Amino acid sequence: MTPPEYQIFSLGSNPQLATEIAQILDIELSTIDVKQFADNEIYERIHQTVRGRDVYVIQGITEPVNDNFMKLMIFIDAARRASARTINVVIPYFGYARSDRKARSREPIVARLIANMLESQGVKRVITLDLHADQVQGFFDIPVDHLISMPALGHYFYANQLLGDDLVVVAPDHASVSRARKFAKLLHAEWAVVDHRTEEKVNNKPDSVTGNVKGKRAILLDDIIDTGSSMMVASQALVAAGVTELYAVAPHAVLSDHAVSKLENSAIKRVLVTNSIEVPETKQFNKLTQISVAEPFAEAIKRVAACESIEDILKSPDNLDVKL
Ligand code: R5P
């Protein structure tokens, strides 16, 4: 009997996305027991043989962050000991990526630690989406297929006829400028930046917006909405600067703490995110639109398995001229 070309496992951080990916690939998710004992220790057992197979495991580093990461590490150990040919990890949301440098003395670099841990256990490839900083790829010595959600998020504005001369993409802080410029190019829009410097502002209120936003419809673009504070503070600055309509866009909806109520009570008209993180029922709200990234993940797995290029997954069919 010829074994299947590859097997896909889901460890439970985002079952909906994993199911969608498997459906697009027309492949059944392989089965595994994942249990937690009363003291929270994790037990896993892969049901069928993976001997000699290429294994893809889908697991985001999402809340509960440390448990979900440990589940991934335990799976890798099980698959390696069961003689999988390759272990490829698909991480829709790479938690801890914000810890990518020593900003102050005696701080760790946790993204690097995670890369070391994955590699040391025999992972052969990482497929992930919108890392906090592109440079995190360099923490690995194995291939990292770094997918981007800009084509999918940008398509929302094309599909809903929201483009126009009065559209401006705004970075909520200086660190997000390059992302905002690319998205603006994709949407044929202008770009601007909110002068938000947390280290200097005790009251966390930016004074000014650099760029022309008065009388415009603004898209605030960040990589993560965590507590919602950055979006809220930036939206206040934009309202004060005279924008007429406001969208908040981000690949990853962490939505911790009081993010939902902050966004609900803000001037933001629509919050557009992907399904890289599963948003539970309790955190759904009317303004929230989730765009699926199952397609790029499925396509990446298919092409990696077939040793084909993934370059054109990183382009937007809406605007092929722009390099994202
Ligand atoms: C920070 O470096 C990130 O790019 C985001 O701006 C940040 O994680 C957003 O967090 P919050 O929603 O808590 O302001």
Side-chain angles (χ1 to χ4, degrees):
M1 191 188 81
T2 327
E5 286 169 43
Y6 56 88
Q7 282 171 259
I8 302 190
F9 290 86
S10 160
L11 299 183
S13 73
N14 193 335
Q16 281 171 17
L17 176 63
T19 305
E20 253 188 87
I21 293 172
Q23 276 166 356
I24 296 171
L25 290 168
D26 199 17
I27 181 173
E28 298 253 322
L29 287 171
S30 296
T31 52
I32 177 169
D33 275 337
V34 182
K35 287 193 264 200
Q36 254 171 302
F37 293 109
D39 66 351
N40 274 334
E41 278 183 13
I42 296 161
Y43 168 85
E44 294 182 27
R45 181 170 177 270
I46 299 168
H47 286 176
Q48 272 93 33
T49 183
V50 291
R51 188 176 295 275
R53 318 286 211 277
D54 293 321
V55 162
Y56 290 79
V57 54
I58 303 170
Q59 178 76 337
I61 307 176
T62 58
E63 211 217 326
V65 172
N66 301 319
D67 280 0
N68 277 336
F69 179 64
M70 196 60 196
K71 282 180 188 166
L72 180 58
M73 293 306 296
I74 290 173
F75 175 88
I76 293 163
D77 189 72
R80 196 189 64 251
R81 291 178 194 281
S83 306
R85 182 165 67 178
T86 62
I87 303 166
N88 305 274
V89 297
V90 180
I91 306 181
Y93 173 66
F94 198 111
Y96 281 117
R98 283 174 285 183
S99 175
D100 61 359
R101 70 195 199 291
K102 266 181 83 165
R104 301 170 64 200
S105 305
R106 299 177 296 284
E107 281 184 346
I109 302 179
V110 186
R112 173 69 203 229
L113 173 66
I114 288 194
N116 285 350
M117 287 165 84
L118 292 171
E119 263 188 75
S120 71
Q121 292 310 299
V123 167
K124 284 288 174 275
R125 170 180 301 274
V126 174
I127 302 177
T128 190
L129 179 84
D130 289 308
L131 286 164
H132 175 60
D134 291 347
Q135 299 90 306
V136 172
Q137 293 169 73
F139 292 172
F140 291 91
D141 283 323
I142 53 171
V144 176
D145 292 308
H146 185 205
L147 307 180
I148 46 168
S149 59
M150 264 193 205
L153 293 170
H155 183 69
Y156 176 89
F157 292 89
Y158 278 90
N160 291 285
Q161 275 116 40
L162 291 167
L163 267 51
D165 292 344
D166 61 339
L167 194 63
V168 59
V169 178
V170 184
D173 52 40
H174 295 272
S176 311
V177 166
S178 113
R179 193 176 296 116
R181 282 166 72 168
K182 281 186 191 170
F183 203 52
K185 208 159 179 193
L186 171 60
L187 301 182
H188 306 282
E190 298 287 307
W191 68 274
V193 54
V194 177
D195 191 16
H196 186 195
R197 303 179 211 182
T198 37
E199 71 280 9
E200 286 172 24
K201 306 277 182 225
V202 180
N203 62 2
N204 211 20
K205 280 202 165 59
D207 302 326
S208 61
V209 178
T210 307
N212 183 13
V213 297
K214 196 172 164 57
K216 294 202 169 207
R217 292 177 296 127
I219 300 171
L220 267 170
L221 180 70
D222 209 339
D223 60 329
I224 299 167
I225 304 179
D226 186 352
T227 64
S229 290
S230 306
M231 285 295 191
M232 192 189 68
V233 170
S235 71
Q236 287 165 351
L238 287 172
V239 168
V243 302
T244 57
E245 200 168 270
L246 208 44
Y247 295 86
V249 177
H252 305 299
V254 175
L255 300 182
S256 53
D257 210 4
H258 298 294
V260 171
S261 61
K262 279 185 203 149
L263 294 165
E264 268 185 320
N265 297 321
S266 71
I268 295 164
K269 181 180 169 190
R270 182 127 312 272
V271 178
L272 188 66
V273 295
T274 79
N275 60 348
S276 67
I277 298 173
E278 199 163 284
V279 178
E281 200 73 33
T282 50
K283 289 188 178 174
Q284 297 281 350
F285 56 108
N286 282 339
K287 290 179 183 180
L288 186 73
T289 299
Q290 269 190 293
I291 307 272
S292 180
V293 282
E295 192 72 51
F297 273 112
E299 197 56 35
I301 293 171
K302 192 164 90 189
R303 292 186 191 200
V304 166
C307 299
E308 285 173 6
S309 165
I310 65 153
E311 192 179 5
D312 57 344
I313 309 176
L314 309 176
K315 290 183 184 156
S316 164
D318 293 309
N319 183 351
L320 288 167
D321 294 335
V322 57
K323 191 176 172 312
L324 294 173

